[in-house]
Amino acid sequence: MAAVKVLQWGFGAMGSGMAKLVLEKKTLELCGVVDMREDYIGKDAGDILKREKTGAMIYNNFEEAVEKTSPDLVILATGSFTKEVYPDLERIINKKIDVITIAEEMAYPWAQEKELANKIDDLAKANDVTVLGTGINPGFVLDALVIMMTGVSHNIEYIEASRINDLSPFGPTVMRTQGVGTTPEEFAKGLENGDIVGHIGFPESIHMVANTLGIELDEVKQEREPIISNVYRETPYVKVEKGMVAGCRHIGYGIKDGNTVIKMIHPQQVLPELEDINTGDYIKIKGTPEINLSIKPEIPGGIGTMGMAVNMIHLVKESGSGLKTMADLPIPRMIR
Ligand code: NAD
């Protein structure tokens, strides 16, 4: 069987890691890269990955890359929001190429962008291609994994899932959007004007779980509060004095008939271990049977995202056309 030719669109922290992983797999071939960074254009992907030449060149124009490399699938790792990635998704679908994106909202775009989601689904079907949104979260820990755990349930009264993670490996963009290193006053202001958003993906994960299980929610509510540090914390990108904000505690509620039926808790901060907080992923399902899943420490976000996007490639290639979610495709598995 010929290897699947993968074009990596977006060659940042995630995209470059995915490209490396694609290069390790015999059933996949990295045929090219698209990124808008001027200093990357015309180089071999190996030059940026600091390894031997790969033969995969970096283009700044998607259409030119397609013409030169004839990819079977694109991994799109450029942005977070459905509206933001939609124009590029449209270009990929119109070229009749399957696409996996890690844009958080695309894990379940019906949650906040119903019209666009239906448009993507129609376009994908008309062009006979598959579109999948995935990642570590949304895409796995707080949704696909929760859904899979319910495979043994007879009935469910309440679902609670939490991800306690360490933001230290992430760069300036994440520090800014999580409000790390701000004063409590700046954090409050940032929440108000939208500069600080906390986690992107609660409406997506909560709706994906609810809809898959046939729970009709009345609404999804979210709360965000600052995690104030009691100690000095420092990473390569940020310094947090005692009394300043080390991260954002973000909680999402899926509500039905006035009761919370799904709760998701995601406190994200830098260096939680400095205050004796251990990272971990936890799923509790109240019902028959009672389920308590603990993963300690957390599944690392970056490595997990790269793995999930790449490991879904064959499943996407084998899937029928349309806009799919992680709940639609077979159970994810590692590509050897
Ligand atoms: P990054 O900023 O390190 O990299 C993005 C890259 O895309 C950059 O190299 C940039 O030059 C390039 N780019 C952006 N827009 C482009 C365009 N229109 N055309 C060509 N190149 C473009 O970001 P990252 O850490 O790699 O993450 C990428 C996105 O994936 C972010 O929005 C992030 O929030 C999201 N993400 C999702 C998950 C998940 O679990 N679903 C996990 C990690 C990251």
Side-chain angles (χ1 to χ4, degrees):
M1 196 178 71
V4 176
K5 292 172 77 177
V6 179
L7 179 67
Q8 178 60 51
W9 190 342
F11 206 46
M14 293 302 109
S16 59
M18 289 166 191
K20 260 191 215 162
L21 190 53
V22 166
L23 287 164
E24 283 172 20
K25 304 290 177 187
K26 278 195 191 124
T27 56
L28 305 176
E29 177 195 330
L30 183 71
C31 65
V33 169
V34 178
D35 201 288
M36 60 187 185
R37 280 186 58 161
E38 288 292 329
D39 51 333
Y40 285 5
I41 314 306
K43 292 194 170 139
D44 184 289
D47 299 338
I48 311 299
L49 297 174
K50 301 206 177 355
R51 51 178 286 162
E52 72 280 5
K53 300 273 183 207
T54 63
M57 303 307 291
I58 307 178
Y59 303 85
N60 67 351
N61 178 276
F62 166 70
E63 281 73 17
E64 185 193 351
V66 170
E67 199 178 301
K68 298 257 170 66
T69 67
S70 309
D72 300 311
L73 181 140
V74 173
I75 300 181
L76 184 66
T78 52
S80 298
F81 305 101
T82 302
K83 268 202 189 104
E84 179 190 6
V85 294
Y86 177 77
D88 294 336
L89 282 175
E90 202 177 29
R91 287 161 73 188
I92 300 166
I93 299 168
N94 280 331
K95 289 277 180 197
K96 301 191 187 302
I97 303 170
D98 294 318
V99 53
I100 293 174
T101 174
I102 60 165
E104 286 90 334
E105 284 189 1
M106 280 297 297
Y108 199 80
W110 293 275
Q112 303 196 79
E113 299 286 352
K114 202 169 173 193
E115 226 169 86
L116 269 188
N118 289 335
K119 214 167 150 182
I120 294 167
D121 188 39
D122 288 345
L123 195 65
K125 284 177 179 149
N127 284 281
D128 196 19
V129 301
T130 310
V131 179
L132 173 71
T134 191
I136 190 72
N137 185 40
F140 188 61
V141 175
L142 295 183
D143 39 55
L145 188 57
V146 175
I147 293 164
M148 206 166 71
M149 295 308 295
T150 70
V152 295
S153 299
H154 294 209
N155 63 67
I156 296 166
E157 287 156 27
Y158 171 74
I159 296 174
E160 187 175 298
S162 31
R163 177 160 166 81
I164 299 161
N165 67 336
D166 183 0
L167 289 177
S168 313
F170 296 100
T173 309
V174 172
M175 296 303 129
R176 202 179 54 245
T177 55
Q178 296 283 346
V180 183
T182 60
T183 63
E185 296 72 32
E186 287 165 346
F187 186 92
K189 217 168 154 196
L191 277 187
E192 217 175 281
N193 66 23
D195 287 346
I196 296 173
V197 293
H199 173 57
I200 304 170
F202 272 139
E204 288 71 23
S205 292
I206 292 172
H207 279 294
M208 195 200 302
V209 171
N211 286 7
T212 306
L213 296 176
I215 302 168
E216 280 177 34
L217 294 177
D218 300 323
E219 60 174 329
V220 169
K221 276 192 187 161
Q222 300 187 68
E223 278 171 8
R224 298 168 183 88
E225 56 183 48
I227 299 171
I228 310 289
S229 193
N230 293 305
V231 294
Y232 177 72
R233 308 188 195 191
E234 183 176 339
T235 79
Y237 296 106
V238 74
K239 289 184 173 65
V240 181
E241 299 288 346
K242 191 175 161 189
M244 282 170 69
V245 176
C248 178
R249 184 176 295 107
H250 197 157
I251 304 178
Y253 303 87
I255 295 168
K256 183 177 170 58
D257 301 330
N259 299 314
T260 297
V261 290
I262 301 174
K263 183 173 177 183
M264 295 192 172
I265 306 158
H266 199 9
Q268 306 202 72
Q269 61 194 297
V270 292
L271 301 170
E273 73 275 8
L274 291 182
E275 295 204 34
D276 293 328
I277 296 163
N278 297 317
T279 65
D281 299 316
Y282 306 93
I283 296 172
K284 283 186 203 166
I285 302 175
K286 237 180 133 219
T288 310
E290 301 278 325
I291 296 173
N292 276 290
L293 176 75
S294 299
I295 302 173
K296 295 193 270 192
E298 60 158 328
I299 301 175
I303 294 174
T305 300
M306 295 162 200
M308 191 55 72
V310 172
N311 283 329
M312 292 308 291
I313 290 175
H314 292 305
L315 299 178
V316 162
K317 290 303 301 172
E318 288 155 14
S319 156
S321 60
L323 172 56
K324 306 287 181 190
T325 75
M326 289 298 285
D328 298 322
L329 294 188
I331 297 170
R333 73 234 30 211
M334 186 192 75
I335 298 176
R336 281 186 66 83

